Amino acid sequence: MAASGKAGYREAAGTRPGRSRRGGYGGVVNAYAAVVLAGGAARRMGGVDKPARPVRGRPMRDRVLAAVADADPRILVGPAAGVPRGVLVTREEPPGGGPVAATAAGLVLLPGDATVVALLAADLPLLTRAAIDDLLHHLDTGADGVCFVDEAGRRQTLCGVWRVAALRGAVDRLAADEPLAGAPLRALLHGLTVQEVPWHGDGPPPWFDCDTDEDVRRAEEWAR
């Protein structure tokens, strides 16, 4: 697997929390981890550290991490500055190498007994715990992963939860054929069984991402 080694991460200040357990998902998921991808270049915002950009006074990255506060571990793949306490931090190889390389780097830090992971973009300021709960509830034994799908039928793959074994297998298969850096996410997920979930909750969709200044303005209006 072409990814950052364990020596390449640091933990944000503070001790790592104990493993949390969840219920309420029909007995399907009892615990989960989270990998948040925060290494994009944000070219349409002038190359700023987009996930650190605040929405209503709170960095988008921190809003995403708060939505998975009960995940263990929580792993951020991206710059380490200002990351909340108890979050593990690593970087993809090379930095800025894209979502597949970042996913691989995050998977390296998962403990051996991790079975389910939320894979999330760091620029989803409207993501909520209710949305994560919905995804976990829909992860049945016949799927490799589950993600939201928008009204046009487009999968929101960086707003989903996945079987760790399936993702690791996909990374290994893709790495055998091509470099992970620069590879599209659809190439990584090709062949996996994905359950699509429409959003029926209140408010704006949890996969709303901020690629432009206008997106941030809209998120400011919607965010709580």
Side-chain angles (χ1 to χ4, degrees):
M1 180 184 299
S4 301
K6 290 190 177 181
Y9 85 90
R10 74 172 184 83
E11 185 173 347
T15 59
R16 179 176 164 187
R19 173 156 299 215
S20 57
R21 295 287 172 181
R22 299 179 68 107
Y25 308 111
V28 175
V29 177
N30 293 317
Y32 77 110
V35 171
V36 177
L37 309 185
R43 293 181 179 86
R44 284 187 279 177
M45 288 187 182
V48 300
D49 182 3
K50 179 174 64 170
R53 184 164 175 174
V55 168
R56 290 216 170 186
R58 191 177 193 184
M60 290 188 278
R61 169 204 64 209
D62 293 9
R63 287 178 169 272
V64 174
L65 289 167
V68 289
D70 54 350
D72 184 31
R74 291 183 297 167
I75 298 164
L76 183 88
V77 186
V83 174
R85 295 168 62 90
V87 176
L88 304 180
V89 183
T90 188
R91 285 308 306 260
E92 68 274 31
E93 185 60 43
V100 174
T103 297
L107 291 177
V108 168
L109 298 189
L110 292 182
D113 60 347
T115 59
V116 175
V117 61
L119 184 63
L120 306 163
D123 61 346
L124 308 179
L126 307 180
L127 185 67
T128 63
R129 292 182 71 174
I132 298 297
D133 289 351
D134 196 16
L135 290 169
L136 291 168
H137 179 80
H138 283 90
L139 183 62
D140 62 38
T141 55
D144 294 319
V146 55
C147 68
F148 286 116
V149 59
D150 65 19
E151 293 181 352
R154 293 182 293 261
R155 288 177 177 174
Q156 305 301 316
T157 50
L158 286 182
C159 192
V161 297
W162 306 86
R163 303 284 179 190
V164 172
L167 274 187
R168 282 180 168 150
V171 167
D172 290 344
R173 286 191 297 272
L174 187 61
D177 295 328
E178 60 181 280
L180 298 181
L185 195 61
R186 64 179 179 276
L188 176 66
L189 302 179
H190 178 73
L192 297 188
T193 302
V194 182
Q195 184 173 353
E196 300 174 351
V197 176
W199 174 243
H200 297 302
D202 296 331
W207 60 80
F208 180 84
D209 60 343
C210 292
D211 291 326
T212 66
D213 292 336
E214 175 62 18
D215 292 338
V216 173
R217 185 191 67 77
R218 292 176 65 193
E220 288 270 2
E221 294 175 352
W222 287 328
R224 300 173 186 175

